[in-house]
Amino acid sequence: MAEIFFRTLPFFAIIGLGYWAGRSRFFTEDATAYLTRFVFYFPLSAMIFGFAANLTFAEVFDPTLILGYLAGTLAVYLLVTAVAMARGLDVPTAAVEAQCAAIGNVGFLGLPMMAILFGPASVAPMMVVLSVDLVVFSSLIVILINAGRGQGLGPATLKLVGLGLMKNPMILSIVAGLAWSASALPIPGPANDFLTILGGAATPGALFAIGASLASKSAERVQVAGWLSFAKLVLHPACVALAVLWLIPAAPFSAAVAIAAASLPVAGNVYMLAQHYGVAPHRASAAIFISTILSIVTVPAVIAWVSGP
């Protein structure tokens, strides 16, 4: 546990540095927004493309892992939705709370962290996790919010979901990388150097951006945010563990990476969606803030557990 904690500490230290920069106003909210946009569209896309270009479709398309991770994530999604509905919340608000419990910071924090802690072999299962999150659950929240507002699953909603998927640079990078891999063409030297240099900015840039963005997050609705943080940091990896270890057993290494990925704190894009639709942005903001702080301890604990003796 201590060794894993110290190996993850530099990641959280960079997040802390970003938080200081945002809190001290050395980085304004506008500067943070531009940094996040830069990392999201350029270095992170280059890193994901580089990873995917060295994988085969068979490595990423692991039906057992897909079904296991999907089942575990859906379980916590339904549980948190049921709790929200029992508290009398409407469908859109319940969908935001469920999203907080199910979607971790896989792109900005998970990919670089797991690649370092588990090695290059972790990239394929992390791509599975990222793809399920983006394709299934990022689409589901849009559908549920529109359904809750009486718009239903009509052409307009389906178009919105489709455009969202097609415009997401992470999905495009995965698809482009796998397509390049399928072509069996080597990446030219200068192009490979370009991807390496640009992708190298993804890890520090993403971690710094996470911290800087946390500086503008509030800790309002602490009781609700505490429940959502518990659901994300504890219940989500527990449900995924039950699914990929016993219900739909995956390969041990892939299962370990998926469980570790499920332990990540709430993703920042949950707040962006909540703010965009005007649905419970403050509780999403608080859940991101609290879960990220607590994850300094909980993520190493989960990784130490799945890593075994």
Side-chain angles (χ1 to χ4, degrees):
M1 171 65 187
E3 180 186 353
I4 298 295
F5 174 77
F6 285 115
R7 290 185 68 190
T8 59
L9 192 59
F11 293 91
F12 292 107
I14 297 174
I15 291 175
L17 183 63
Y19 180 80
W20 168 82
R23 196 70 178 175
S24 66
R25 305 295 294 173
F26 184 82
F27 249 57
T28 64
E29 287 191 33
D30 284 344
T32 300
Y34 281 116
L35 173 62
T36 302
R37 188 177 180 86
F38 165 71
V39 172
F40 186 57
Y41 281 95
F42 299 104
L44 190 60
S45 296
M47 183 180 72
I48 291 175
F49 176 85
F51 282 155
N54 290 298
L55 298 171
T56 64
F57 180 76
E59 288 177 297
V60 176
F61 186 71
D62 181 344
T64 303
L65 184 62
I66 292 171
L67 290 175
Y69 180 77
L70 181 59
T73 304
L74 189 59
V76 76
Y77 197 98
L78 292 174
L79 173 62
V80 173
T81 299
V83 171
M85 300 301 284
R87 286 163 36 225
L89 301 182
D90 57 21
V91 171
T93 305
V96 169
E97 290 200 354
Q99 197 80 355
C100 287
I103 304 299
N105 207 331
V106 176
F108 274 39
L109 177 60
L111 270 173
M113 177 182 284
M114 302 308 165
I116 291 176
L117 295 179
F118 287 95
S122 66
V123 171
M126 286 299 293
M127 290 290 185
V128 170
V129 170
L130 184 60
S131 298
V132 171
D133 284 350
L134 292 173
V135 175
V136 178
F137 294 100
S138 292
S139 300
L140 185 58
I141 187 174
V142 176
I143 292 170
L144 290 175
I145 288 176
N146 281 285
R149 291 176 171 175
Q151 297 177 23
L153 192 60
T157 300
L158 292 175
K159 180 181 178 181
L160 192 63
V161 170
L163 287 174
L165 293 174
M166 288 189 292
K167 290 181 178 180
N168 190 304
M170 288 192 284
I171 292 179
L172 295 176
S173 299
I174 293 173
V175 172
L178 290 175
W180 189 279
S181 174
S183 72
L185 294 173
I187 299 177
N192 191 57
D193 291 342
F194 169 79
L195 291 172
T196 300
I197 295 169
L198 183 58
T203 300
L207 296 174
F208 192 93
I210 292 171
S213 66
L214 285 176
S216 63
K217 300 288 187 293
S218 68
E220 299 175 18
R221 300 180 180 273
V222 174
Q223 186 175 3
V224 175
W227 152 244
L228 296 178
S229 297
F230 174 76
K232 182 68 199 71
L233 300 175
V234 179
L235 297 183
H236 188 201
C239 288
V240 170
L242 287 172
V244 300
L245 294 178
W246 292 288
L247 182 62
I248 310 172
F253 180 78
S254 295
V257 173
I259 296 166
S263 74
L264 294 168
V266 182
N269 63 3
V270 178
Y271 171 75
M272 293 167 60
L273 283 167
Q275 187 179 49
H276 175 75
Y277 286 102
V279 181
H282 294 298
R283 75 187 64 190
S285 170
I288 292 167
F289 183 85
I290 292 175
S291 67
T292 302
I293 298 298
L294 295 177
S295 70
I296 297 173
V297 174
T298 60
V299 168
V302 172
I303 293 175
W305 175 64
V306 299
S307 299

